[in-house]
Amino acid sequence: MILVIRERATKEQLDEMLKTWGVFIKLAVDIDREILAGGSQLHYECEEVLLKNGSRQKDIWGADWFPYTQEVGFESIINIRPSQNNRTMEIQSPEIRERVALITRRLLGGL
């Protein structure tokens, strides 16, 4: 089940998002609105939910959250966007990586 997280997630929300993969959560993070969607099999499904909720595609980046190590992964096919100078699946911009990490840790970290 894909959940949109606008405030710090509850343990129940984290557990729900973990049901898909068990050890990590696929995310789409809106770095402008500072929200995320997580819990799908594919990053683009989370991206679609954010787009339907008013996010702009240029602000959405794919990531993974590993709750047991509290680490963020920055690789997703939705990150391939030459128009924003990101030509690989991994987020290239240190600034965007930092924003994605900060938002993810603020909303999901410590649970």
Side-chain angles (χ1 to χ4, degrees):
M1 169 187 275
I2 299 172
L3 300 178
V4 176
I5 306 296
R6 293 176 172 85
E7 300 175 1
R8 186 158 181 76
T10 65
K11 173 87 167 83
E12 293 75 23
Q13 288 172 316
L14 188 73
D15 289 343
E16 183 65 35
M17 290 185 288
L18 276 168
K19 285 182 180 177
T20 304
W21 291 102
V23 295
F24 74 99
I25 301 167
K26 289 189 182 252
L27 308 170
V29 180
D30 182 328
I31 61 171
D32 180 56
R33 297 172 63 204
E34 297 189 3
I35 64 173
L36 61 81
S40 69
Q41 288 190 345
L42 301 168
H43 293 103
Y44 90 87
E45 295 167 326
C46 293
E47 179 184 41
E48 284 180 338
V49 169
L50 289 180
L51 289 169
K52 288 178 184 172
N53 278 277
S55 293
R56 298 176 300 184
Q57 198 279 325
K58 72 179 193 79
D59 298 322
I60 302 171
W61 294 88
D64 297 312
W65 175 242
F66 298 88
Y68 304 111
T69 60
Q70 299 288 293
E71 294 179 303
V72 179
F74 300 99
E75 192 170 283
S76 168
I77 198 152
I78 70 170
N79 295 336
I80 300 173
R81 47 181 92 165
S83 64
Q84 288 180 265
N85 204 29
N86 204 88
R87 300 185 187 286
T88 69
M89 288 178 35
E90 189 161 341
I91 299 171
Q92 299 296 297
S93 164
E95 294 82 14
I96 293 174
R97 286 172 72 104
E98 183 62 24
R99 297 269 302 144
V100 167
L102 286 171
I103 294 163
T104 301
R105 287 188 181 106
R106 181 172 49 82
L107 295 176
L108 302 179
L111 296 173

